[in-house]
Amino acid sequence: MVVKNDPTLMFTNAGMNQFKDIFLGNSKPVDLRVADSQKCLRVSGKHNDLEEVGHDTYHHTMFEMLGNWSFGDYFKKEAIDWAWEYLTSVLKIDKSRLYSTVFEGDKDLKLDKDNEAYDYWAKHLPKDRIINGNRKDNFWEMGDVGPCGPCSEIHADLRSDEERKVIDGSKLVNKDHPQVIEIWNLVFMQFNRKTNGELENLPQKHVDTGMGFERLCRLIQGKSSNYDTDIFTPIIREIEKLSNFKYGENEDVDVAMRVVSDHLRTIAFSITDGQLPSNNKAGYVIRRILRRAVRYGYTFLKFRESFIYKLLPVLIETMGEAYPELENSKVLISKVVKEEEESFLRTLSTGINMLDKIIKETKENNYKVVNGKIAFELYDTYGFPLDLTELILSENGLVANRQEFNKEMDAQKQRARNAANVETGDWVVLAEDDIEEFIGYDYLETELFITRYRKVTVKKKSLYQLVFNITPFYGESGGQIGDSGFIYNENEKIKIIDTKKENNLIIHLSKELPKDVNAKFTAEVDKEKRQSVACNHTSTHLLHEALRSVLGEHVEQKGSLVHYDYLRFDFAHFEKVSNEQIEQVERMVNRKIRANYFLEEKRETPISKAKELGAMMLFGEKYGDLVRVVKYGDSIELCGGTHVKSSGEIGLFKIISESSIASGIRRIEAITGEKAVDHILDQERLINDLDSMLKGNNDIRKSIDNLIQNNSKLNKDLDIIKQNFINIEKRDLIDSAEDFNNTKIIVERIKPILGDKLKDICFSIKKEFTSVVAILAAEVNNKPQIAVVMSDDIIKDKKFTAVEVIRDCAKEIQGGGGGQPFFATAGGKNLNGLDKALHRAKLFVEDKLN
Ligand code: ATP
Ligand code: MG
């Protein structure tokens, strides 16, 4: 469900995503005919059904798309005949409920009606049940450019017989009627769209069909809602139990239950497929879906505590047999979901408190309309969608200014657009039909030529993407960064700054285009960088294995970055890895390095064979039928990365950090080889430096211990001295008291060393006099401090307090403070204002005493 290696897509949103490289001609298909089931998620980008989900009964966020595929093999006739045969003969669906649509043609596209498809349908359906569809509904395009073609949909009319008699179903096809819905879409890819908008014929024609499993179930089970099929009812029953509400009695409650049951699937599957909720990109999409479910549960089902994670067992019961990975990641999903729920519930209540305050203020001012900016802030910072804010406002007889809200929203979208301004040019194809060959496991140099290139402009900076007939450059994938290097011939030398992998195509980035793009070049990969990356990649495998043996088999890779400077490894584990365990892991990995295991690599091994060998597979990774197995000793992984020839090359492995990145996910960062040696030498130098600073004799522990003991003794001595000193200072202060209308006033700065004793001094002065006001100031850690103390008679008779004095004079030190009527303190930022503050306080007090 989670897409990797395609910058245009975060999640699989259609069955064809997994075959995109075939349609683009980047890979050759192994089988020309395929049938499959593909988890899809339509919550962002081109397909976004999120707002519909729950409110209608046939759009889900995640759904299972059934498909059959022809890669240059069968075409319209077979696709239509077989679809019909499957629905009506195999599944025995009532023919009278089915309709089909065909592309009616389009002037702008210069295309006629798809008569071919029409004729094949006419064999199965009466003419009035084959409906013309326009470009929007019946012409499928992968994107602004690329493969496209007409499509033909099958719709089903699920209304009751009475209703069907009143209005003919053909009038409701593609009209958003909740009971007349699209079931299956047959796409006939026959054109390629170029950047200038023109269509050209594809050399090979393909079929791509997609049928929503949940809608098909509804059709087979004769239900009027996807949520009434056995895919969803067990989950809905469980929500009823947890919430004490009944499904089917109140529309708001029903919507909420549908939202929760739908989103539960999305969240659980996305976590098992490796995408955890987070605060950016794909992770943020998942977090927002989870929050949407929490919010509906909170508002309409009155949940005040986390509840979604409690639905996991019933989801596993209904879907676990088909998707055993759910059961395997049960603990992780449950932990992550619960924690996310709890944290959002906290945010929700903060947001609601804030909204309550705004409601109160608005009412007090006798306004009816709440500023749209506030609604936007609630949306932006607390994840409150406008409808939730509006709901709460309407319960209080208020509305939000939608115009202002939309303005803020548009401004934010514009900012996002500007940030991601990418222009991609058309491929200039120099050699047709050339599938790029990667030879970088064995060679770092080769002769090559450019097969195609294009210009890409990101934020006004242009780069060229080059594709070669053969390449030693590794394209960034599987967490390993891309290679860099050069291509050159006698006339020029072009720097390859990075290499990426996109839809199975290895793309080399350069800042300039060669003057002669048709020339032959020699390629040379940056060997040093590659070697460091290889050390880090092999170490990652050894680390993975060591973690599993030290911490347990539950350790599973959840993310990885293999860089030339370091490696980063994220894995499922539920508590901090202790220092002892880290040390154990480091020892184990280094032992494996010294064992100097040779790389045993098996390319093109059937996946079943790899499983037999016990190779570790990662969930959410896309593996072909033939895989590459990388083995060092007992570490066996499926991996496409580049590795060292023998583990001894790594030299040394050192973990430099261990932390938590999400609930249940830990992160280890480590370095190898020369970098690890540097690190250890640095540490040693540090210790030597410390030792000589402490003038110790190579026993730094003892030196520091001495230092600590000495320090605490000095502190004790200092306390005794301070105590004596306070007594002297007190006497001086008392002697300095001035008479003012029968009250003693003391205004003094005391010595910085007594700064922390300000309160003590104040209280003992208070005891000395019957009527007194003392204002004392001190410098404490370079910051100004003021304290005011006064006898109770003043508060009573003169009717002012220490707090008033402090608030007034604190302005001079740019600070603030407070306290009790008889004793108040203030701290500030402006040390230079301290004398002024004292003076000001004195005037204030004298004024009051007068
Ligand atoms: P609709 O118009 O109903 O949104 P669509 O045109 O977006 O459908 P396609 O992109 O053609 O649908 O996808 C093929 C099939 O996938 C549809 O016929 C339907 O059965 C199913 N499908 C599409 N979107 C969803 C969804 N959000 N939830 C469940 N099934 C869906
Ligand atoms: Mg749709």
Side-chain angles (χ1 to χ4, degrees):
M1 201 165 81
V2 181
V3 173
K4 288 169 188 152
N5 293 338
D6 185 347
T8 62
L9 214 56
M10 292 195 279
F11 299 102
T12 299
N13 61 11
M16 59 77 56
N17 298 157
Q18 313 297 352
F19 301 115
K20 207 166 152 186
D21 44 354
I22 298 178
F23 295 131
L24 290 170
N26 300 342
S27 313
K28 285 218 157 69
V30 183
D31 301 297
L32 303 184
R33 297 177 178 188
V34 168
D36 70 342
S37 167
Q38 169 67 49
K39 281 170 283 176
C40 291
L41 187 56
R42 293 197 165 177
V43 291
S44 58
K46 181 183 164 199
H47 289 292
N48 189 347
D49 293 334
L50 185 60
E51 290 311 312
E52 262 74 58
V53 174
H55 293 273
D56 75 17
T57 58
Y58 60 108
H59 282 99
H60 301 293
T61 52
M62 189 208 94
F63 62 98
E64 295 172 88
M65 182 92 93
L66 310 179
N68 57 297
W69 309 83
S70 157
F71 306 117
D73 194 67
Y74 63 83
F75 205 48
K76 291 181 192 176
K77 177 180 186 307
E78 295 84 350
I80 290 172
D81 285 351
W82 293 341
W84 187 256
E85 182 187 343
Y86 181 58
L87 290 179
T88 60
S89 308
V90 179
L91 300 177
K92 308 256 183 311
I93 286 164
D94 176 2
K95 290 178 186 169
S96 78
R97 290 185 179 272
L98 298 178
Y99 295 82
S100 76
T101 64
V102 295
F103 178 53
E104 65 187 4
D106 187 281
K107 273 211 199 83
D108 292 342
L109 292 174
K110 299 199 187 74
L111 289 178
D112 293 333
K113 174 170 169 168
D114 188 358
N115 286 315
E116 226 184 320
Y118 179 87
D119 291 341
Y120 295 131
W121 278 120
K123 288 194 301 178
H124 307 296
L125 280 166
K127 291 189 172 54
D128 59 345
R129 301 228 313 268
I130 307 170
I131 292 152
N132 278 343
N134 59 18
R135 179 176 173 181
K136 183 179 129 292
D137 285 324
N138 283 74
F139 194 80
W140 180 90
E141 304 191 57
M142 188 159 91
D144 297 337
V145 292
C148 56
C151 60
S152 196
E153 303 154 338
I154 301 167
H155 291 252
D157 183 351
L158 296 156
R159 293 174 302 155
S160 66
D161 291 339
E162 295 83 64
E163 280 178 286
R164 289 204 295 155
K165 265 179 220 137
V166 183
I167 304 177
D168 192 66
S170 63
K171 300 217 161 46
L172 300 175
V173 167
N174 263 335
K175 295 283 186 294
D176 290 331
H177 189 289
Q179 299 299 339
V180 184
I181 58 175
E182 182 191 319
I183 296 297
W184 201 347
N185 193 358
L186 318 179
V187 177
F188 310 120
M189 265 181 237
Q190 57 189 116
F191 305 112
N192 178 45
R193 181 191 286 284
K194 302 197 285 185
T195 320
N196 66 8
E198 264 174 46
L199 297 180
E200 59 186 10
N201 278 321
L202 279 177
Q204 295 222 303
K205 292 176 184 161
H206 311 292
V207 172
D208 151 2
T209 86
M211 169 158 60
F213 174 68
E214 297 76 4
R215 293 189 193 179
L216 180 66
C217 282
R218 164 173 170 182
L219 189 57
I220 295 173
Q221 297 176 0
K223 304 290 183 191
S224 56
S225 154
N226 288 10
Y227 297 89
D228 293 339
T229 65
D230 55 6
I231 304 173
F232 283 97
T233 40
I235 304 173
I236 302 234
R237 290 291 92 81
E238 192 66 20
I239 302 174
E240 285 180 326
K241 249 197 251 161
L242 292 176
S243 68
N244 281 325
F245 283 97
K246 276 238 136 317
Y247 186 72
E249 290 177 355
N250 168 299
E251 180 60 12
D252 284 343
V253 167
D254 291 357
V255 170
M257 287 194 185
R258 292 197 287 262
V259 164
V260 172
S261 62
D262 173 278
H263 293 7
L264 166 72
R265 303 185 344 144
T266 297
I267 301 157
F269 276 103
S270 115
I271 295 172
T272 43
D273 281 11
Q275 183 57 64
L276 271 70
S278 74
N279 59 6
N280 63 31
K281 296 191 192 146
Y284 192 56
V285 173
I286 298 303
R287 173 168 286 171
R288 274 186 16 232
I289 294 172
L290 192 146
R291 290 179 168 189
R292 188 172 186 260
V294 174
R295 182 169 66 74
Y296 274 84
Y298 183 96
T299 312
F300 302 110
L301 306 176
K302 306 295 173 208
F303 284 114
R304 289 296 173 267
E305 275 166 20
S306 49
F307 61 96
I308 299 173
Y309 81 99
K310 292 185 188 157
L311 298 167
L312 203 56
V314 47
L315 177 69
I316 294 175
E317 223 170 87
T318 43
M319 297 189 80
E321 195 186 334
Y323 296 99
E325 65 264 32
L326 281 180
E327 172 72 33
N328 296 342
S329 325
K330 184 167 70 177
V331 185
L332 176 71
I333 310 173
S334 173
K335 260 194 161 284
V336 171
V337 172
K338 182 162 185 269
E339 186 148 307
E340 279 283 323
E341 283 189 82
E342 283 166 359
S343 110
F344 184 54
L345 283 166
R346 281 194 295 274
T347 318
L348 258 184
S349 66
T350 319
I352 285 174
N353 284 343
M354 177 173 156
L355 197 53
D356 281 345
K357 242 203 251 153
I358 291 158
I359 290 171
K360 201 166 145 239
E361 279 167 24
T362 315
K363 281 184 175 167
E364 274 167 11
N365 289 324
N366 269 328
Y367 292 146
K368 280 255 163 293
V369 185
V370 169
N371 193 330
K373 274 190 186 160
I374 292 175
F376 182 77
E377 194 189 327
L378 278 165
Y379 162 81
D380 208 31
T381 8
Y382 299 100
F384 271 49
L386 185 60
D387 59 0
L388 177 65
T389 304
E390 286 186 327
L391 184 84
I392 299 173
L393 290 180
S394 75
E395 285 163 3
N396 287 279
L398 305 176
V399 292
N401 185 327
R402 272 196 173 204
Q403 246 172 341
E404 283 167 356
F405 178 90
N406 289 335
K407 217 172 109 193
E408 293 293 314
M409 190 75 155
D410 287 344
Q412 195 195 46
K413 280 192 184 143
Q414 191 57 43
R415 283 195 295 276
R417 259 197 296 278
N418 291 344
N421 200 347
V422 183
E423 270 171 50
T424 310
D426 271 336
W427 283 113
V428 178
V429 179
L430 303 174
E432 285 283 356
D433 242 8
D434 207 312
I435 302 265
E436 198 178 25
E437 189 189 346
F438 175 65
I439 54 160
Y441 295 138
D442 306 304
Y443 303 98
L444 298 180
E445 281 176 35
T446 189
E447 298 274 302
L448 55 76
F449 57 85
I450 303 172
T451 58
R452 56 168 114 170
Y453 67 87
R454 68 179 174 189
K455 188 173 168 182
V456 177
T457 312
V458 185
K459 289 185 190 156
K460 300 219 169 77
K461 262 207 223 136
S462 293
L463 282 181
Y464 290 90
Q465 300 189 333
L466 313 175
V467 179
F468 306 142
N469 62 324
I470 182 170
T471 183
F473 290 93
Y474 182 84
E476 178 183 329
S477 56
Q480 179 178 330
I481 63 163
D483 276 331
S484 55
F486 291 97
I487 57 168
Y488 62 91
N489 55 28
E490 56 275 19
N491 301 319
E492 52 185 332
K493 185 170 184 179
I494 303 285
K495 195 170 178 188
I496 301 300
I497 54 173
D498 198 1
T499 311
K500 307 245 178 223
K501 210 164 169 186
E502 212 179 291
N503 302 312
N504 219 21
L505 203 60
I506 298 171
I507 292 176
H508 310 79
L509 303 180
S510 69
K511 287 190 183 152
E512 50 184 332
L513 194 63
K515 284 182 203 79
D516 180 3
V517 288
N518 292 305
K520 278 215 158 59
F521 293 89
T522 302
E524 204 181 299
V525 173
D526 183 333
K527 294 190 185 69
E528 245 176 71
K529 219 166 123 182
R530 167 69 90 79
Q531 175 66 10
S532 306
V533 169
C535 285
N536 286 339
H537 203 152
T538 304
S539 299
T540 303
H541 288 202
L542 302 181
L543 170 66
H544 192 181
E545 193 206 347
L547 285 170
R548 286 171 75 94
S549 87
V550 172
L551 304 178
E553 296 287 303
H554 63 278
V555 166
E556 208 178 278
Q557 174 168 343
K558 287 292 163 197
S560 150
L561 172 70
V562 180
H563 193 268
Y564 48 85
D565 275 338
Y566 70 112
L567 65 96
R568 195 173 78 196
F569 188 72
D570 300 338
F571 56 99
H573 182 59
F574 302 112
E575 59 196 13
K576 193 173 165 46
V577 186
S578 71
N579 290 343
E580 293 75 47
Q581 288 168 327
I582 293 275
E583 208 177 299
Q584 250 178 302
V585 168
E586 285 178 320
R587 279 185 189 283
M588 196 174 275
V589 173
N590 281 305
R591 227 176 283 134
K592 289 174 201 292
I593 291 172
R594 289 193 304 273
N596 202 20
Y597 295 120
F598 281 90
L599 163 64
E600 295 172 62
E601 180 198 7
K602 292 197 178 60
R603 291 183 205 160
E604 317 246 307
T605 305
I607 190 140
S608 52
K609 185 99 183 289
K611 277 187 197 156
E612 257 169 52
L613 289 171
M616 255 188 274
M617 289 180 207
L618 304 181
F619 222 89
E621 247 353 285
K622 182 177 158 187
Y623 296 113
D625 293 333
L626 295 178
V627 293
R628 177 165 172 258
V629 180
V630 170
K631 178 174 184 298
Y632 291 92
D634 294 334
S635 150
I636 312 174
E637 295 206 24
L638 297 191
C639 178
T642 60
H643 288 271
V644 294
K645 291 202 183 59
S646 64
S647 62
E649 288 174 37
I650 300 167
L652 184 63
F653 169 88
K654 180 84 192 83
I655 291 176
I656 51 172
S657 78
E658 192 276 340
S659 59
S660 155
I661 54 160
S663 156
I665 309 281
R666 311 294 306 181
R667 167 170 291 177
I668 280 183
E669 288 178 322
I671 48 181
T672 63
E674 195 70 25
K675 286 253 154 46
V677 174
D678 284 348
H679 178 81
I680 285 171
L681 292 179
D682 272 350
Q683 297 293 95
E684 186 169 313
R685 203 171 307 121
L686 175 72
I687 291 174
N688 287 338
D689 287 354
L690 289 177
D691 191 53
S692 64
M693 280 165 79
L694 294 166
K695 306 208 169 39
N697 299 314
N698 288 327
D699 191 348
I700 195 163
R701 283 201 184 82
K702 194 164 163 232
S703 305
I704 291 184
D705 206 38
N706 284 344
L707 204 63
I708 292 170
Q709 283 186 19
N710 202 20
N711 198 41
S712 91
K713 183 178 168 299
L714 286 176
N715 270 330
K716 277 185 199 139
D717 290 351
L718 188 63
D719 252 3
I720 297 169
I721 295 172
K722 267 192 194 172
Q723 212 45 56
N724 288 330
F725 201 53
I726 287 178
N727 293 335
I728 299 169
E729 184 87 353
K730 242 175 12 199
R731 277 274 53 96
D732 287 352
L733 289 171
I734 288 166
D735 290 347
S736 78
E738 286 173 22
D739 240 333
F740 190 92
N741 290 349
N742 300 326
T743 298
K744 296 280 182 196
I745 299 187
I746 299 171
V747 181
E748 285 294 337
R749 245 179 113 139
I750 62 170
K751 310 230 158 27
I753 193 178
L754 294 177
D756 57 338
K757 304 284 184 216
L758 209 53
K759 189 172 175 182
D760 290 358
I761 298 173
C762 282
F763 278 71
S764 50
I765 288 176
K766 185 172 178 243
K767 273 190 229 142
E768 290 291 323
F769 303 100
T770 42
S771 179
V772 65
V773 179
I775 304 146
L776 302 182
E779 181 188 328
V780 184
N781 299 329
N782 289 323
K783 295 233 169 74
Q785 277 270 347
I786 306 176
V788 176
V789 70
M790 54 175 65
S791 46
D792 300 335
D793 62 309
I794 296 178
I795 304 165
K796 245 190 270 148
D797 305 342
K798 307 288 180 187
K799 301 201 169 55
F800 74 100
T801 66
V803 175
E804 284 167 54
V805 182
I806 210 90
R807 289 237 167 100
D808 182 69
C809 71
K811 286 175 195 144
E812 300 290 349
I813 55 166
Q814 284 175 24
Q820 289 150 284
F822 65 92
F823 176 70
T825 57
K829 284 187 220 133
N830 178 20
L831 194 55
N832 294 330
L834 209 46
D835 289 327
K836 252 191 174 166
L838 283 179
H839 186 64
R840 181 166 172 162
K842 186 166 183 244
L843 295 181
F844 185 93
V845 170
E846 286 174 355
D847 186 46
K848 295 277 180 191
L849 291 177
N850 244 328

